[in-house]
Amino acid sequence: MSRRAGRTSKPGGGQPQRLPALRVIATGIQGPEDVVADAQGTLFTGGADGTVWRLAFSASGAGRAVAVAHTGGRPLGLEPTADGRLLVCDAQRGLLRVDPRGGAVEVLAGEAGGEPLRFCSNVAAAADGTLYFSVSSRRYGLEDWMGDILEHTGTGQLWRLRPGGEPEVLLNGLHFANGVALAEDESFVVVAETGAYRLRRLWLRGARAGRCDSLARDLPGFPDNISRGPDGVFWVALAGPREPGVDLLHRMSPQVRKVVWHGVKPFRPRPRRTVGVVALRSDGSRACALRRVKSPYRMVTSVCRSGAFLIMGSVLENGLAVCELDI
């Protein structure tokens, strides 16, 4: 393995470019936290009511959103598989497998170590069927995600589930573990640490196998879901810009952080109207960074590339946001 492939790089190189104007499609879908595209370019997303949706998309427009399954919980991260099925991380039910052709829902991992898999967040599938998935917090559920960010609990985890095996923890102590993606050659897996503004990289093969480092640190916002484009570039949604007040709070004692969370909890401040996306190469260098301020579509929690378009989802908004890339 070359030194370049094993080096950690901080994304850099100038100011972010302006994200092109957004249009919103499929506005009947509430809170589409993640959006993914299969090999044919068909989009899938999950709504706040537990429905999994399929949506055809092309440069000429978006087709009608069709409900293909209901998880009975709250779907978050999704991952299409080669057999036409869909992996779903459900915040209430754990790691699921859904067949969009008939609506069947199968629980792959509902608990681990004798505890329910609460707040299962995102998943990536390897070619051999091994699954890598994140649990954002062991202290809070989805409804209190802000509490985990403010308290900076460090209770997030990265798990592995081999075919026919039991779930096993690969990484512990993550600050709000979120998006998960595999390198194109599956030499490493990346997990977003939303509360630490970084992407952690766990090497799976080669001389570094078993070692953990950072693919990217000091990101300009809170990284959420990650998708890998056809060119191997990781597209990272930034759910919001960095907050100096949160950075300061993280340097304070756990007792102070807890008091602040309980003081803020009744008010649930709305996220800023800043949309951000970062694209990173497999060595951690920045391919591009896009940002739009005063956006009517807030808190982008996912992004995937489909041809010349970026498709974005939000746990907060209704519908998916679309823009045409001009880079």
Side-chain angles (χ1 to χ4, degrees), residues 56-216:
F57 179 81
S58 66
S60 60
R64 183 172 61 93
V66 177
V68 296
H70 197 286
T71 68
R74 202 327 178 178
L76 298 177
L78 312 173
E79 171 87 335
T81 56
D83 62 3
R85 291 184 288 185
L86 194 67
L87 300 169
V88 179
C89 283
D90 191 289
Q92 299 170 11
R93 301 192 62 201
L95 180 61
L96 313 178
R97 182 162 53 203
V98 170
D99 191 339
R101 294 160 295 198
V105 177
E106 175 187 2
V107 178
L108 299 180
E111 62 176 39
E115 296 182 8
L117 278 174
R118 66 184 302 187
F119 215 161
C120 189
S121 188
N122 204 260
V123 59
D128 67 355
T130 299
L131 309 181
Y132 299 88
F133 64 97
S134 59
V135 170
S136 291
S137 172
R138 295 181 63 199
R139 183 173 299 177
Y140 291 110
L142 175 62
E143 65 281 0
D144 287 325
W145 64 266
M146 189 179 294
D148 197 275
I149 296 292
L150 296 182
E151 288 197 30
H152 208 44
T153 69
T155 61
Q157 298 172 316
L158 177 68
W159 290 75
R160 174 170 61 194
L161 179 61
R162 289 190 170 105
E166 294 294 325
E168 55 182 324
V169 177
L170 295 181
L171 294 177
N172 245 321
L174 302 177
H175 290 288
F176 204 88
N178 213 323
V180 180
L182 283 160
E184 194 167 26
D185 63 359
E186 299 189 359
S187 59
F188 61 84
V189 60
V190 178
V191 57
E193 273 192 285
T194 302
Y197 307 111
R198 68 186 173 194
L199 304 182
R200 297 292 294 275
R201 172 175 53 189
L202 178 65
W203 293 93
L204 303 174
R205 297 207 304 250
R208 293 175 177 261
R211 293 183 59 183
C212 183
D213 58 19
S214 293
L215 178 71

Side-chain angles (χ1 to χ4, degrees), residues 12-80:
Q15 296 297 314
Q17 295 177 265
R18 191 166 189 260
L19 186 74
L22 304 176
R23 61 186 176 95
V24 181
I25 61 174
T27 55
I29 302 175
Q30 298 179 348
E33 195 269 348
D34 194 17
V35 56
V36 295
D38 67 11
Q40 289 71 46
T42 301
L43 301 179
F44 291 92
T45 190
D49 64 352
T51 303
V52 176
W53 299 87
R54 180 178 61 217
L55 181 68
F57 179 81
S58 66
S60 60
R64 183 172 61 93
V66 177
V68 296
H70 197 286
T71 68
R74 202 327 178 178
L76 298 177
L78 312 173
E79 171 87 335

